[in-house]
Amino acid sequence: MAFNSSDIYMGFWADRSKDSPILSSKLTLSSKVAKFLTAFLAMYVTFAASKLWDIAAYAVHFYRQGRITERCRPVLRQQQVVLKNSLSPGSTAHRLLKIWWANRSNSLSNSDSWPLILFAALCGIGCLAAGLYSNKIVDMSPGVEVLLNSPNCGFVDRSNMSIPNNLSMTVIQYYLDSLAAATRYSRKCYNNTNTRDCGPFTQQMINWVTVWDADCPFDDSMCLGPAMRLDTGEINSNKVLGLNSEPQDQINLRKVTTCAPIVQEGYTAIVVSNASTATTVKPIAGDQMIMNVYGPSRRKLGGNYTWGVSEDAASSTLTRTMWMEYYYNGFFANLTTFSPIPEINRSTGDGTLCFISSNAFLFVEPCDDPVFATHVPHYDATDDRTYYLGDRVTGVLGCLEQYQWCNPATKACTLIGSLGDANDEVARVLTPNAMQTATVDMLVLILSSLANIPFLGSEVTENLIANQKVNGQIQFPLPKNQWQVEVQAWHGIVMKLLQEGILRWVIGPSNPILQAHLLPPTFPDQAALCHLHRIQPGAGAGVANVSNFGFFFVLSVGTIVIVLSLFVDEIAGLLGRFSQTVRVKQRAWVEDDALQLQRIAYEADARAQEEATGHGPGLVWTGRDEDLPVVQGEDAVLGPLPGSEDGPEAIELEALEEHAAVEQRALKFLEEPSEAPERRLTM
């Protein structure tokens, strides 16, 4: 069924088919807004991950500093500098790998380097995984689930449709569209591994258990061989049918369908066609009717005649025909179309007799199926071959549909029986609350008007699998269990009709003619169901879901990480007031910064120039204990350090050699912090 984007609820909601209310909380947005949110989350997670690495690098540097306060291997000090100055775990791992490679001849290089390299690499992988997870917070896949919120909720009135006018034709077509959609979805879903085109339902298939040799649903004398029973088990209104009710408001439905070929021997009669016995508009004089005698039809065919087929019509009709007569028990008994004989009548369910006529179809080979039995040879001179005609004018298939309601909160269940009788037991046995009662009422309305086997008789061509093997008048081979194939297909269509009916109840019709004959909910609890249905709108719906838990988790954790990374130095500095060890390690972190190392190099160069020439650049540095050292004075300039290709040519060779000696002494001084920590602080 088609629906508009305006039928989709936009805002916060919780998927109550899931066990965790926190993890199932969602925010439905338009896909355009969701794209911007996805981009924001990707950038935010990337930034937060970089700040998390800053904290991790600080922690490792802080821990390792306790091992290298004395004289140590140069590679350890180089690694400390890399930890301080790398911007990402990836670049850190790369630079550490280069240090290891340069020192690979050292026997201790592996133990000094690889644990740190692997740590940085794992952090990089973790950051990448966090970025990938952020994409899952916003779900824009075709399988995204949304809530419906239509202003046209309700069922179209089917009463008084006997008068052929524009209204009745529109209503009939509306329900035929439901059947066509359910048939299409069923054929694409059941017995098919690809469930992509199974409709907009949250549960793509409603499964059932098949018993192939079940007892006859009617009197044992009426069944040709074993029956077949299809049992859905308990169908939960939320997890299977797509409602979004609170746990205490959910309801379970069980449907059992049992079918078998029906005996015709002794239950047929041959009568002359006349106005009372004919099932055609204009009976042919002298034509004979093959009547099925299972109880009088409301069509008043005479006697106990349920249905009949004209021999003349059967021999000249080039299509397969199907007719259904049915009876209901309990509340829906008024919908009954025939009064069954005792052998067919069962008070424990709703019965249907399906009359299938292959008419003038020519079978290319005999068929042993009891409903489609075909063994009568027929020579066709045009094709110069022998075909086969049906053993009987009509094959009869009988089905009994039974229902059961269960309260998942109390585990109480009604007896399994007819739809009307099971519905009558709901209030007495289940003690349901108002929402459960409203849910049962809605489902009963759908089951009685749409999701049942008699409704399938509205469209013969689509709802017989055998017709898919027909070419013109020629019927290609059918298996001996074709009736079981048909019943399985019918059951699948009925299950889809159940889902389609709920969808049509919630969305309502878009046709103004149908909207004028809409039966809206009459009670507040019924009206609440109009906003409690989940669907998968599919690709092109223009909507997306945001996981509220994922979004706020990333936002809160990321904010904590960012704030902590911004103040980690201040926190360590505060702790350093109470601990000499913390103060020394914090000072080492500051001095390993690239700008601090640059300051130290310039100060060493200034001392070298002063010793060589008697005067230095006269620069005054501040911020030795902070992240950013600053040169005082508006006119201060920094030249290139010695060794640069742009170095000063005015310095004589002797001064350069002396400068190199001073620089070596300065480096030695930096490598001995534990021997004179106060001296290092005042350098």
Side-chain angles (χ1 to χ4, degrees):
M1 180 180 181
F3 50 86
N4 301 317
S5 58
S6 58
D7 295 329
I8 298 176
Y9 171 75
M10 297 291 183
F12 291 96
W13 63 285
D15 185 351
R16 299 192 180 100
S17 67
K18 304 295 189 296
D19 295 330
S20 173
I22 297 176
L23 297 179
S24 63
S25 179
K26 302 177 182 181
L27 170 63
T28 301
L29 302 169
S30 68
S31 56
K32 182 181 295 185
V33 176
K35 289 177 181 178
F36 286 106
L37 185 59
T38 301
F40 164 76
L41 284 174
M43 292 186 294
Y44 188 81
V45 168
T46 300
F47 181 69
S50 68
K51 292 304 175 183
L52 181 61
W53 168 249
D54 289 347
I55 297 173
Y58 184 93
V60 173
H61 186 283
F62 189 89
Y63 171 76
R64 284 164 49 92
Q65 190 62 32
R67 299 172 51 199
I68 59 175
T69 53
E70 303 293 338
R71 295 172 61 86
C72 61
R73 292 182 296 280
V75 65
L76 297 179
R77 293 199 180 276
Q78 289 178 320
Q79 290 170 348
Q80 292 292 84
V81 173
V82 170
L83 286 172
K84 169 61 179 174
N85 294 283
S86 294
L87 299 178
S88 68
S91 64
T92 301
H94 178 247
R95 295 188 69 183
L96 291 174
L97 192 62
K98 291 175 69 175
I99 292 175
W100 167 79
W101 181 256
N103 295 274
R104 64 187 182 279
S105 59
N106 191 320
S107 60
L108 298 177
S109 180
N110 287 336
S111 61
D112 289 341
S113 300
W114 277 107
L116 205 56
I117 294 173
L118 292 176
F119 173 75
L122 289 175
C123 287
I125 294 173
C127 292
L128 180 62
L132 294 176
Y133 170 75
S134 68
N135 290 331
K136 295 185 176 297
I137 294 175
V138 182
D139 185 5
M140 292 188 287
S141 66
V144 63
E145 292 186 7
V146 299
L147 270 183
L148 289 176
N149 185 28
S150 173
N152 299 321
C153 180
F155 232 59
V156 175
D157 187 6
R158 291 180 63 180
S159 61
N160 300 321
M161 291 295 106
S162 58
I163 301 176
N165 53 30
N166 184 45
L167 172 61
S168 63
M169 293 299 100
T170 303
V171 172
I172 291 173
Q173 188 60 52
Y174 175 78
Y175 283 96
L176 287 178
D177 289 344
S178 300
L179 178 57
T183 302
R184 182 172 62 255
Y185 293 144
S186 176
R187 299 279 166 81
K188 289 181 178 180
C189 294
Y190 295 105
N191 300 320
N192 192 344
T193 57
N194 182 13
T195 60
R196 182 176 53 187
D197 299 323
C198 293
F201 312 111
T202 56
Q203 179 84 11
Q204 297 299 301
M205 296 183 291
I206 300 178
N207 298 315
W208 63 82
V209 175
T210 301
V211 178
W212 301 94
D213 56 350
D215 295 334
C216 180
F218 310 108
D219 187 88
D220 290 342
S221 63
M222 299 304 298
C223 291
L224 287 172
M228 181 176 66
R229 184 171 69 247
L230 303 96
D231 191 339
T232 64
E234 292 187 18
I235 301 172
N236 183 261
S237 57
N238 271 27
K239 294 183 178 180
V240 180
L241 298 182
L243 297 184
N244 200 49
S245 305
E246 295 283 357
Q248 68 274 13
D249 297 334
Q250 299 174 22
I251 203 77
N252 288 350
L253 164 68
R254 179 188 176 198
K255 187 174 192 295
V256 179
T257 302
T258 308
C259 299
I262 299 300
V263 171
Q264 295 192 63
E265 193 71 33
Y267 295 94
T268 58
I270 301 176
V271 300
V272 176
S273 178
N274 55 53
S276 62
T277 61
T279 55
T280 57
V281 177
K282 292 183 179 181
I284 300 174
D287 185 21
Q288 290 185 326
M289 299 289 298
I290 310 299
M291 308 301 292
N292 300 103
V293 188
Y294 299 108
S297 169
R298 68 179 180 183
R299 294 172 62 90
K300 299 180 180 180
L301 300 176
N304 276 341
Y305 301 153
T306 311
W307 179 247
V309 175
S310 160
E311 286 188 336
D312 183 79
S315 62
S316 59
T317 301
L318 302 183
T319 59
R320 182 175 278 117
T321 56
M322 181 172 69
W323 183 261
M324 292 189 181
E325 294 285 339
Y326 45 90
Y327 65 85
Y328 286 91
N329 286 295
F331 179 79
F332 296 102
N334 63 311
L335 300 178
T336 296
T337 63
F338 82 108
S339 299
I341 59 177
E343 294 88 343
I344 293 294
N345 189 13
R346 284 295 177 267
S347 61
T348 56
D350 301 320
T352 301
L353 293 182
C354 178
F355 303 93
I356 302 175
S357 300
S358 294
N359 298 318
F361 273 8
L362 302 177
F363 284 62
V364 298
E365 63 181 42
C367 178
D368 295 330
D369 182 272
V371 177
F372 297 86
T374 309
H375 298 91
V376 179
H378 172 78
Y379 177 74
D380 188 278
T382 303
D383 294 343
D384 189 24
R385 64 165 297 172
T386 298
Y387 292 101
Y388 298 88
L389 297 175
D391 296 354
R392 291 181 176 275
V393 173
T394 302
V396 184
L397 185 61
C399 293
L400 189 71
E401 295 179 276
Q402 298 172 295
Y403 305 85
Q404 185 179 43
W405 300 98
C406 295
N407 188 338
T410 63
K411 308 300 181 184
C413 294
T414 66
L415 293 175
I416 185 166
S418 68
L419 181 60
D421 291 336
N423 185 43
D424 290 340
E425 280 201 340
V426 168
R428 179 176 61 85
V429 177
L430 303 188
T431 60
N433 60 35
M435 281 299 298
Q436 287 177 315
T437 300
T439 303
V440 171
D441 290 343
M442 177 188 69
L443 294 178
V444 166
L445 178 60
I446 295 169
L447 290 168
S448 62
S449 59
L450 276 178
N452 54 66
I453 289 179
F455 185 66
L456 304 184
S458 304
E459 182 54 71
V460 179
T461 304
E462 290 291 332
N463 294 321
L464 282 175
I465 300 296
N467 287 345
Q468 297 179 3
K469 297 182 179 181
V470 172
N471 183 15
Q473 190 182 356
I474 306 302
Q475 173 71 69
F476 290 97
L478 296 178
K480 63 181 180 180
N481 68 330
Q482 182 63 35
W483 73 271
Q484 293 179 328
V485 175
E486 301 293 350
V487 172
Q488 289 273 2
W490 290 352
H491 194 71
I493 296 172
V494 169
M495 292 298 98
K496 281 299 177 184
L497 280 170
L498 178 58
Q499 294 176 300
E500 181 74 12
I502 297 173
L503 182 61
R504 287 180 178 265
W505 161 274
V506 173
I507 294 180
S510 58
N511 189 322
I513 297 177
L514 298 176
Q515 289 178 3
H517 291 78
L518 188 69
L519 297 176
T522 54
F523 301 104
D525 298 296
Q526 290 179 337
L529 291 173
C530 299
H531 313 288
L532 293 176
H533 187 43
R534 297 172 291 110
I535 65 166
Q536 295 180 356
V543 293
N545 274 343
V546 179
S547 170
N548 292 335
F549 173 80
F551 178 76
F552 289 109
F553 177 81
V554 167
L555 204 62
S556 57
V557 172
T559 301
I560 292 173
V561 168
I562 292 170
V563 172
L564 185 60
S565 69
L566 294 176
F567 295 99
V568 65
D569 284 342
E570 285 74 8
I571 295 173
L574 181 63
L575 296 176
R577 296 181 181 180
F578 308 99
S579 172
Q580 174 68 17
T581 302
V582 173
R583 185 162 63 249
V584 171
K585 291 182 178 182
Q586 169 64 13
R587 176 60 183 167
W589 172 262
V590 172
E591 287 188 347
D592 281 338
D593 186 81
L595 294 177
Q596 292 290 358
L597 293 176
Q598 183 190 50
R599 173 189 63 77
I600 293 172
Y602 271 111
E603 288 181 338
D605 179 59
R607 287 192 295 272
Q609 289 187 42
E610 187 174 357
E611 292 178 7
T613 62
H615 60 86
L619 300 176
V620 178
W621 292 81
T622 60
R624 286 183 170 88
D625 298 329
E626 300 174 2
D627 287 338
L628 187 64
V630 178
V631 180
Q632 296 297 309
E634 296 182 0
D635 299 331
V637 294
L638 292 175
L641 288 169
S644 170
E645 60 183 5
D646 297 326
E649 300 178 357
I651 301 179
E652 299 179 354
L653 181 60
E654 294 82 2
L656 290 174
E657 293 175 350
E658 181 64 21
H659 172 77
V662 173
E663 188 175 30
Q664 290 297 322
R665 292 195 296 272
L667 291 175
K668 181 179 179 182
F669 173 82
L670 291 174
E671 292 177 355
E672 302 175 354
S674 62
E675 297 179 2
E678 294 83 0
R679 178 177 154 209
R680 200 175 165 196
L681 290 170
T682 57
M683 179 176 169

